[in-house]
Amino acid sequence: MDLKSTDPRDYEASPHGIAAMPKEFPAGSRIPSHVHGRAQLIYATSGVMEVTTADGLWLLPPQRALWMPAGIA
């Protein structure tokens, strides 16, 4: 099995225009507020993901995605 890194720092320095990083999170997982140097397309393949910024809160079921610009906490 080819294991890929799940460390965002490995992707933010990528010379490619697009980099993909799949991650799995158990139900109820919470990630502290943070900032990325690259924009992200955030989506859940199952369950519902809640994304919060200073401007609002988004609930993402598997049929939806959220574009998060670089530099937004």
Side-chain angles (χ1 to χ4, degrees), residues 34-42 53 66-73:
H34 60 283
V35 175
H36 288 276
R38 287 181 80 146
Q40 291 185 297
L41 180 65
I42 302 169
T53 72
L66 175 73
W67 181 256
M68 179 70 72
I72 302 294

Side-chain angles (χ1 to χ4, degrees), residues 23-70:
K23 285 182 128 177
E24 290 188 28
F25 296 98
S29 293
R30 293 175 106 23
I31 299 176
S33 180
H34 60 283
V35 175
H36 288 276
R38 287 181 80 146
Q40 291 185 297
L41 180 65
I42 302 169
Y43 69 95
T45 56
S46 65
V48 175
M49 188 179 303
E50 179 180 305
V51 179
T52 305
T53 72
D55 293 326
L57 178 142
W58 294 265
L59 296 177
L60 306 173
Q63 301 84 3
R64 299 286 186 258
L66 175 73
W67 181 256
M68 179 70 72

Side-chain angles (χ1 to χ4, degrees), residues 1-21:
M1 175 172 28
D2 183 20
L3 297 177
K4 302 289 184 189
S5 172
T6 57
D7 185 338
R9 294 171 293 193
D10 293 336
Y11 295 87
E12 290 189 9
S14 172
H16 304 291
I18 297 174
M21 183 181 67

